[in-house]
Amino acid sequence: MAHSTPSLSIVRGACGHDCPDTCSWIVSVKDGRAEKLQGNPDHPFTRGTLCAKVNHYLERVYHDQRLLYPMKRVGAKGAGRFVRISWDEALQEVAERWHSIINQFGAEAILPYSSAGTQGLIQMSSLDRRLFGLLGCTNLERNICGEVAGTGIATTQGIGFGVDPEDLVHSKYIVLWGTNTIVTNMHLWPIITEARSRGAKIVVIDPIRTRTAEQADWHLAVRPGSDAALALAVMHVIIRDNLVDHDYVSRYAIGYEELVERVKQYSPNAVAEIVGLDAPTIERFAREYATTAPSLLRPLIGPEHHHNGAMIFRTLACLPILIGAWRQRGGGLSRSTHGLQFSTLNIPGLLLPEHNRPNVRSLNMRDLGNDLCNPSLSPPIRSICVYNCNPVVSVPNQQQIVRGLQREDLFTIVHDLTVTETAKYADLVLPATSQIEHLDIVPAWGHHYLAMNRPAIDPVGESVSNTELFRRLARVLGRTEPWLFESDEQLIRTALNSNHPWIAPITYERLWEEGFVRFNPERDWLPFAEGGFPTRSGKAELYSQSLLDQGLDPLPARGEIRQTPPGKLQLISGKTLHYLNSSYGHVERHRKREGTLYVELNQIDAISRNLKPGELVWVANEQGQIAAQLRYSERVQPGIAWMPFGGLQDAMGNFVSANTLTPEEPTDWGGGSGFYDTFVDVISIEG
Ligand SMILES: Nc1nc2c(c(=O)[nH]1)N[C@H]1C(S)=C(S)[C@@H](COP(=O)(O)OP(=O)(O)OC[C@H]3O[C@@H](n4cnc5c(=O)[nH]c(N)nc54)[C@H](O)[C@@H]3O)O[C@H]1N2
Ligand SMILES: Nc1nc2c(c(=O)[nH]1)N[C@H]1C(S)=C(S)[C@@H](COP(=O)(O)OP(=O)(O)OC[C@H]3O[C@@H](n4cnc5c(=O)[nH]c(N)nc54)[C@H](O)[C@@H]3O)O[C@H]1N2
Ligand code: SF4
Ligand SMILES: [Mo]
C-alpha cells in the first residue's frame, strides 16, 4: 500500500493580541494542520516563551465553537440562534441594507466599530478605514485604551514614548507605576530582574497587591486615582530639598517657577490621607527616586481608567524632567513604543485619508450604549459593523449597549472567530481567520521589533481575514477604486514604504525570511538627553499653554479624585492571567483557570458586611447587578472591590462582565473612560 509523505513545515509568525509584548512564534504544520505553536527563542524579547493564554492558542484555532461560515439570525436578538448562509447571500444582504440606509439616512448612519482585537497592522486598520472613509460612515474615536495615558504624557513631553524597554537593564530604580508587569507585560519582567541583579530597586505603585507588587522590593498601595497627588508631593520634596537638576530644567523645560508655586501646597503631610500613604513613606520614596540614577518610571495603562487619568500621566511625566533623569541611559519614562513605530511606518499611505469624505461626524466608542439608545441622534445609527472588538464585554454600561443592540431597526454585523457576547445580537455573523491563517506585520507597543506574521495554515472553514472581508464588501457595494482591492502584500509593502531613517533595515523580504527586524533607533538612543521635546514650545512643558487654551489647568494638579460614597466600595475591574481582555472566555481550559466570577474584598470590608468567603453576593449599583463569589483577599485594601473584567460565568452559569457596572463618563481629556471610578454595594444574596 502506498503512503503519501506527510508534509511538514515550520512557519514564523507573531502574536496579534492587544498586548505590549508582540511575541514572535513558530508554528509547526503537518499535512495542513498546525500541531505546535511555540515562542521564538531567537527573538530578543520573546526569548522562546509565550504566555499562559497563547501557549494554548491552537485550542482557540481549532475550538469547536469556532465560526466556520456566515450565519444569519433566526431567533430574537440576543438568543444566539443562527442558520448557515453562503458568503454571497451574506454580502448581498449587507449591500441591500447599507444601500437602503445610505439612501434614507446618509452613510453616517453606519457605524464601523472596531478596536485592537488584532494588532496586526493591516488587519487592524487598512482597507476598512479606506472603505468606510470613502463612504462617509461615522468615524469612531477609539480611545478606550492608551489614548489617555499617551495624550497625558505628550502634554508634558510632546510625545508619549521615551525609553527603549530593553534599556531598563541599565536602570537602578524602576518604578512600575500602575502596571501589573508579570501579568500584562510578562516579557519585560526578565529585563527588570536582570536590572535588579545589577543592583536596581523595584518599586510598585498600585492600589492592589498584584503578583508584580508581591515580587517587587517595595509596594506602595496608593488610593485609586491619587497618583497625581503623590507625584506632586514627590516634586514638592525634590524642590524643597534642592534635588532638582537646575541645569536640565533651565535649558530644556518651561514653567519651572509656576510649578514651584503649585507644588508648595502638596507637602507629603498635605497629601498623605488622599494618597493613603504616611508622610515619611512619601518622603523616602521621593528621595530614593530623585537620588538614585538612572531612575525610571514605567507606567502602561492602569491609572488612565480614572476620571483624572490624563492629568495623572501628564503629572507623572514632569518627574523625570525635574531631576534630569533623561540624561542617562535607563533613566526617564518608558511607556508605549506604539507612537514611535507608527511615526516610522507609512500610515497615511496605508489609510489614504485624502479619499475620506470630509466633515463626517465622530462618535466615541465609550458612548456606544447611549448613542445606540439616543432617539435624537441625527442621523441615528441604523447599522453597526463590529470587528476586532467585543463591546458587550469590554465597553462601559453593558446593559445600555445590550438595549441598543436589541433595537429591531438596527442592522448589526459582527465579524469574529466565535459567536461572542456581542455577536449574539447580530443579524449577520461572519467568520474571521485566526492569527495563524492570515498575513500581517505586527508592530509592538512594548519594544522596538516589527514582526511579520506569515499564515501557517489555510483559513479554517469559510473564514476570511479582515482585509478580505473589506475587499468583498467593496465589491458587492459596487465600488471600483483599485485601492479598495489591494492585496495584503501590497498593503504591507505600502506601509513599509516610508522615508523615515529608522525603517532602513526593514524590508518585506527580510521580514519574510527572518520573522522580525528591529527598528533602527541606536542602541544608546537617549531621546531627550539634550531636550528636543516635540511640544509647541520645543521644551518640556511643566506649564502648558495648550492646556490653558482648552480651558484646562495649565499646571500639574491632582485632578478630581472621585470619592467613594458612604457604605460603597470602589470597583476595580482588571485584567487576568488566563484571559486577554474579552477573549478566551469560551475556552474551557482558560475558564477553569479563572473559575467562577468572583469579587475580592479586604477582610475588614467583608466582615463589616457580614460576608463569608465563598458565599454568593450581589455586586450592584444603579446600573445593574452581578452575582459573584466572595473572596477575602489581602491583595485588596479596605474600600476597594476587585473583579476580573473579561466575561466569566457566574455561579448560575450566566455570562457576566464587570462592565455591567461601569459608567460611560469620560476622562478629563484624551477621550477615555473612567472604568475604575465605579462604586458598588456588595450584599449577600442569601441574606
Ligand atoms: N471594566 C474594564 N473594562 C475594560 C478594561 C478594564 O481594565 N476594565 N480594559 C479596556 C482595555 S485596556 C481594552 S484594550 C479593551 C479590550 O476589549 P476588546 O476589544 O473586547 O478586546 P479583545 O478581547 O482583545 O478583542 C476583541 C475581539 O477581537 C476578536 N479578534 C481577534 N482577532 C481578530 C481578527 O483578526 N479579526 C476580527 N474580526 N476579530 C478578531 C477577538 O476574538 C475578540 O472577540 O477593554 C477595555 N475594557
Ligand atoms: N494576561 C493579560 N495580559 C494583558 C491583558 C489581559 O487582559 N490579560 N490586556 C492587555 C491590554 S489591552 C492592556 S491595555 C495592557 C494593560 O496593562 P497594564 O496597564 O499593566 O494593566 P491594567 O490591568 O490595565 O492596569 C495595571 C494596574 O493598574 C492598577 N491601578 C488601577 N487604578 C490605579 C490607580 O489609580 N493608580 C495606580 N497606581 N494603579 C492603578 C491596577 O490595580 C492594575 O494592577 O495589558 C495587556 N496585557
Ligand atoms: S498575548 Fe502577549 S505575552 Fe502572550 S503571546 Fe501574545 S504578545 Fe506574547
Ligand atoms: Mo488595552
Side-chain angles (χ1 to χ4, degrees), residues 214-249:
E214 263 160 27
Q215 296 295 315
D217 299 308
W218 196 16
H219 172 210
L220 300 176
V222 290
R223 298 291 309 154
S226 71
D227 303 87
L230 174 60
L232 285 155
V234 171
M235 291 195 262
H236 176 102
V237 173
I238 290 172
I239 291 171
R240 183 200 65 199
D241 296 355
N242 200 20
L243 302 172
V244 175
D245 183 337
H246 287 288
D247 177 61
Y248 189 87
V249 169

Coordinates of all heavy atoms in Angstrom, one line a residue, residues 214-249:
E214 N 3.9 41.8 44.6 CA 4.4 40.8 45.5 C 5.9 40.5 45.2 O 6.7 40.2 46.1 CB 3.7 39.5 45.4 CG 2.6 39.3 46.5 CD 1.5 38.4 46.1 OE1 1.8 37.4 45.3 OE2 0.4 38.5 46.6
Q215 N 6.3 40.6 44.0 CA 7.7 40.3 43.6 C 8.6 41.5 43.7 O 9.8 41.4 43.5 CB 7.7 39.8 42.1 CG 7.0 38.5 41.9 CD 7.6 37.4 42.6 OE1 8.8 37.2 42.6 NE2 6.8 36.5 43.3
A216 N 8.0 42.7 44.0 CA 8.8 43.9 44.0 C 9.6 44.1 45.3 O 9.3 43.4 46.3 CB 7.9 45.1 43.7
D217 N 10.5 45.0 45.3 CA 11.2 45.3 46.6 C 10.4 46.1 47.5 O 10.5 46.1 48.7 CB 12.5 46.0 46.3 CG 13.4 45.2 45.4 OD1 13.7 44.0 45.8 OD2 13.8 45.6 44.3
W218 N 9.5 46.9 46.9 CA 8.7 47.8 47.7 C 7.3 48.1 47.0 O 7.3 48.4 45.8 CB 9.4 49.2 47.9 CG 8.9 50.1 49.0 CD1 8.1 49.7 50.0 CD2 9.3 51.4 49.1 NE1 7.9 50.8 50.8 CE2 8.6 51.9 50.3 CE3 10.0 52.4 48.4 CZ2 8.7 53.2 50.7 CZ3 10.1 53.6 48.8 CH2 9.5 54.1 50.0
H219 N 6.2 47.9 47.8 CA 4.9 48.1 47.2 C 4.3 49.3 47.9 O 4.1 49.3 49.1 CB 4.0 46.9 47.3 CG 2.6 47.1 46.9 ND1 1.6 46.4 47.5 CD2 2.1 48.0 46.0 CE1 0.4 46.8 46.9 NE2 0.7 47.8 46.0
L220 N 3.9 50.3 47.2 CA 3.2 51.5 47.7 C 1.8 51.3 47.3 O 1.4 51.5 46.1 CB 3.8 52.8 47.2 CG 5.3 53.0 47.5 CD1 5.8 54.3 46.9 CD2 5.5 53.0 49.0
A221 N 0.9 51.0 48.3 CA -0.5 50.8 48.0 C -1.2 52.1 48.1 O -1.7 52.5 49.2 CB -1.1 49.7 48.9
V222 N -1.3 52.8 47.0 CA -2.0 54.1 47.0 C -3.5 54.0 46.9 O -4.0 52.9 46.5 CB -1.5 55.0 45.8 CG1 0.0 55.4 45.9 CG2 -1.7 54.2 44.4
R223 N -4.2 55.0 47.2 CA -5.6 55.1 46.9 C -5.8 55.3 45.4 O -5.1 56.0 44.7 CB -6.3 56.2 47.7 CG -6.1 56.2 49.2 CD -6.9 55.1 49.8 NE -8.3 55.1 49.4 CZ -9.1 54.0 49.3 NH1 -8.6 52.8 49.7 NH2 -10.4 54.1 48.9
P224 N -6.9 54.6 44.9 CA -7.1 54.7 43.4 C -7.3 56.2 43.0 O -7.9 57.0 43.7 CB -8.4 54.0 43.2 CG -8.5 53.1 44.4 CD -7.8 53.7 45.5
G225 N -6.7 56.5 41.9 CA -6.8 57.9 41.3 C -6.0 59.0 42.0 O -6.1 60.1 41.6
S226 N -5.2 58.6 43.0 CA -4.4 59.6 43.7 C -3.0 59.8 43.3 O -2.2 60.5 43.9 CB -4.4 59.2 45.2 OG -3.6 58.1 45.4
D227 N -2.7 59.2 42.1 CA -1.2 59.2 41.7 C -0.7 60.6 41.4 O 0.5 60.8 41.7 CB -1.1 58.3 40.4 CG -1.6 56.9 40.6 OD1 -2.8 56.7 40.5 OD2 -0.8 56.1 41.0
A228 N -1.5 61.5 40.9 CA -1.0 62.8 40.6 C -0.7 63.5 41.9 O 0.3 64.2 42.0 CB -2.0 63.6 39.7
A229 N -1.5 63.3 42.9 CA -1.3 63.9 44.2 C 0.1 63.4 44.8 O 0.9 64.2 45.3 CB -2.4 63.6 45.2
L230 N 0.3 62.1 44.6 CA 1.6 61.5 45.1 C 2.7 62.2 44.3 O 3.8 62.6 44.9 CB 1.6 60.0 44.9 CG 2.9 59.3 45.2 CD1 3.4 59.5 46.6 CD2 2.8 57.8 44.9
A231 N 2.6 62.2 43.0 CA 3.7 62.8 42.1 C 3.9 64.3 42.5 O 5.1 64.7 42.5 CB 3.3 62.7 40.7
L232 N 2.9 65.0 42.8 CA 3.1 66.4 43.2 C 3.8 66.5 44.6 O 4.7 67.4 44.7 CB 1.7 67.1 43.3 CG 1.1 67.4 42.0 CD1 -0.4 67.5 42.1 CD2 1.6 68.7 41.4
A233 N 3.5 65.6 45.5 CA 4.3 65.6 46.7 C 5.7 65.2 46.5 O 6.6 65.7 47.1 CB 3.6 64.6 47.7
V234 N 6.0 64.3 45.6 CA 7.4 63.9 45.3 C 8.1 65.2 44.7 O 9.2 65.5 45.1 CB 7.4 62.7 44.2 CG1 8.8 62.5 43.7 CG2 6.9 61.5 44.9
M235 N 7.4 65.9 43.8 CA 8.0 67.1 43.3 C 8.2 68.2 44.4 O 9.2 68.9 44.4 CB 7.1 67.7 42.2 CG 7.1 66.8 40.9 SD 6.5 67.7 39.5 CE 4.8 67.1 39.5
H236 N 7.3 68.2 45.4 CA 7.4 69.1 46.5 C 8.8 68.8 47.2 O 9.6 69.7 47.5 CB 6.2 68.9 47.4 CG 6.3 69.7 48.7 ND1 5.6 70.9 48.9 CD2 7.0 69.6 49.8 CE1 5.8 71.4 50.1 NE2 6.7 70.6 50.7
V237 N 9.0 67.5 47.5 CA 10.2 67.2 48.2 C 11.5 67.5 47.4 O 12.5 68.0 47.8 CB 10.2 65.7 48.6 CG1 11.5 65.2 49.2 CG2 9.0 65.4 49.5
I238 N 11.4 67.1 46.1 CA 12.5 67.3 45.2 C 12.9 68.8 45.1 O 14.1 69.2 45.2 CB 12.2 66.8 43.7 CG1 12.1 65.3 43.7 CG2 13.2 67.3 42.7 CD1 11.6 64.7 42.4
I239 N 11.9 69.7 45.1 CA 12.2 71.1 45.0 C 12.6 71.6 46.4 O 13.6 72.4 46.5 CB 10.9 71.9 44.5 CG1 10.7 71.5 43.0 CG2 11.0 73.4 44.7 CD1 9.4 72.0 42.4
R240 N 11.9 71.2 47.4 CA 12.2 71.7 48.8 C 13.7 71.3 49.2 O 14.4 72.1 49.7 CB 11.2 71.1 49.8 CG 11.4 71.5 51.2 CD 10.7 70.5 52.2 NE 11.4 69.2 52.1 CZ 10.9 68.1 52.5 NH1 9.6 68.0 53.0 NH2 11.5 66.9 52.5
D241 N 14.1 70.1 48.8 CA 15.4 69.6 49.2 C 16.5 69.9 48.2 O 17.6 69.3 48.2 CB 15.3 68.1 49.5 CG 14.4 67.8 50.7 OD1 13.9 68.8 51.4 OD2 14.2 66.6 51.0
N242 N 16.1 70.7 47.2 CA 17.0 71.0 46.1 C 17.7 69.9 45.4 O 18.9 69.8 45.3 CB 18.1 72.0 46.7 CG 18.8 72.8 45.6 OD1 18.2 72.9 44.5 ND2 20.0 73.3 45.8
L243 N 16.8 68.9 45.1 CA 17.3 67.7 44.3 C 17.0 67.9 42.8 O 17.1 67.0 42.0 CB 16.6 66.5 44.8 CG 16.8 66.2 46.3 CD1 15.9 65.0 46.8 CD2 18.2 65.9 46.6
V244 N 16.7 69.2 42.4 CA 16.4 69.5 41.0 C 17.6 69.5 40.2 O 18.7 70.0 40.7 CB 15.7 70.9 41.0 CG1 15.4 71.3 39.6 CG2 14.4 70.8 41.8
D245 N 17.6 69.0 39.0 CA 18.7 69.2 38.0 C 18.4 70.6 37.4 O 17.8 70.7 36.3 CB 18.7 68.1 37.0 CG 19.8 68.2 36.0 OD1 20.4 69.3 35.8 OD2 20.2 67.1 35.4
H246 N 18.9 71.7 38.0 CA 18.6 73.0 37.5 C 19.1 73.3 36.1 O 18.5 74.0 35.3 CB 19.1 74.1 38.5 CG 18.3 74.1 39.8 ND1 17.1 74.6 39.8 CD2 18.6 73.7 41.0 CE1 16.6 74.5 41.1 NE2 17.5 73.9 41.8
D247 N 20.3 72.7 35.8 CA 20.8 72.9 34.5 C 19.9 72.3 33.4 O 19.5 73.0 32.5 CB 22.2 72.2 34.4 CG 22.8 72.3 33.0 OD1 23.0 73.5 32.6 OD2 23.0 71.3 32.4
Y248 N 19.4 71.1 33.7 CA 18.5 70.5 32.7 C 17.2 71.3 32.6 O 16.7 71.6 31.5 CB 18.2 69.0 33.2 CG 17.4 68.2 32.1 CD1 18.1 67.5 31.1 CD2 16.0 68.2 32.1 CE1 17.4 66.8 30.1 CE2 15.4 67.5 31.1 CZ 16.1 66.8 30.1 OH 15.4 66.1 29.2
V249 N 16.6 71.6 33.7 CA 15.3 72.3 33.7 C 15.5 73.6 33.0 O 14.6 74.0 32.2 CB 14.8 72.4 35.2 CG1 13.6 73.4 35.2 CG2 14.4 71.1 35.7

